[in-house]
Amino acid sequence: QVQLVESGGGLVQPGGSLKLSCVASGNIGSIYAMGWYRRPPGKQRELVAVITTSGGTTTYENSVTGRFVVSIDNARNTVYLQMNNLKPEDTAVYYCIETAGDSGLRGRPRSWGQGTQVTVSS
């Protein structure tokens, strides 16, 4: 099993920035990729950004491309999400995820963190 713990959420004004972090523990060796999903109020969960553990490949949801950057520190088993130029539509609970090697970058997440709230409002 893999355990994921997120931190860094909060309330920011439109145009502001936040940086989320997620630390993985447990069966680390089985992880293929780590990243972030989100659930906006009243909507389904969607992929935000995912990165392979090597750091060599990433994928992003279209609306965050150019504003968000996902990165990984394998030595610390930690994935980050730098969120810039935040918009009200970015308001959501953000979940850290990890996938096994047979799932690929956009495959179904195997593990989920507890979630951290990001609210973008004036």
Side-chain angles (χ1 to χ4, degrees), residues 32-34 37 45 47 50 96-112:
Y32 170 72
M34 295 182 67
Y37 278 56
R45 291 176 296 186
L47 182 148
V50 177
C96 182
I97 62 94
E98 60 90 14
T99 66
D102 59 356
S103 296
L105 275 179
R106 305 186 72 88
R108 185 179 66 180
R110 181 174 60 177
S111 305
W112 297 79

Side-chain angles (χ1 to χ4, degrees), residues 1-2 44 70 85 87 90 92 99-101 106 109 114:
Q1 293 183 330
V2 174
Q44 297 182 9
V70 64
N85 192 23
K87 303 176 180 180
D90 296 318
T99 66
R106 305 186 72 88
Q114 82 283 2

Side-chain angles (χ1 to χ4, degrees), residues 10-79:
L11 173 65
V12 297
Q13 295 184 348
S17 297
L18 283 175
K19 188 172 185 177
L20 308 182
S21 63
C22 172
V23 180
S25 61
N27 190 13
I28 303 300
S30 68
I31 298 174
Y32 170 72
M34 295 182 67
W36 303 88
Y37 278 56
R38 67 185 180 186
R39 185 190 291 276
K43 298 182 179 180
Q44 297 182 9
R45 291 176 296 186
E46 63 181 9
L47 182 148
V48 178
V50 177
I51 186 169
T52 54
T53 56
S54 69
T57 307
T58 59
T59 188
Y60 292 90
E61 193 274 329
N62 287 340
S63 69
V64 310
T65 299
R67 298 189 296 121
F68 293 7
V69 178
V70 64
S71 61
I72 193 164
D73 183 345
N74 279 322
R76 296 176 174 83
N77 300 317
T78 302
V79 66

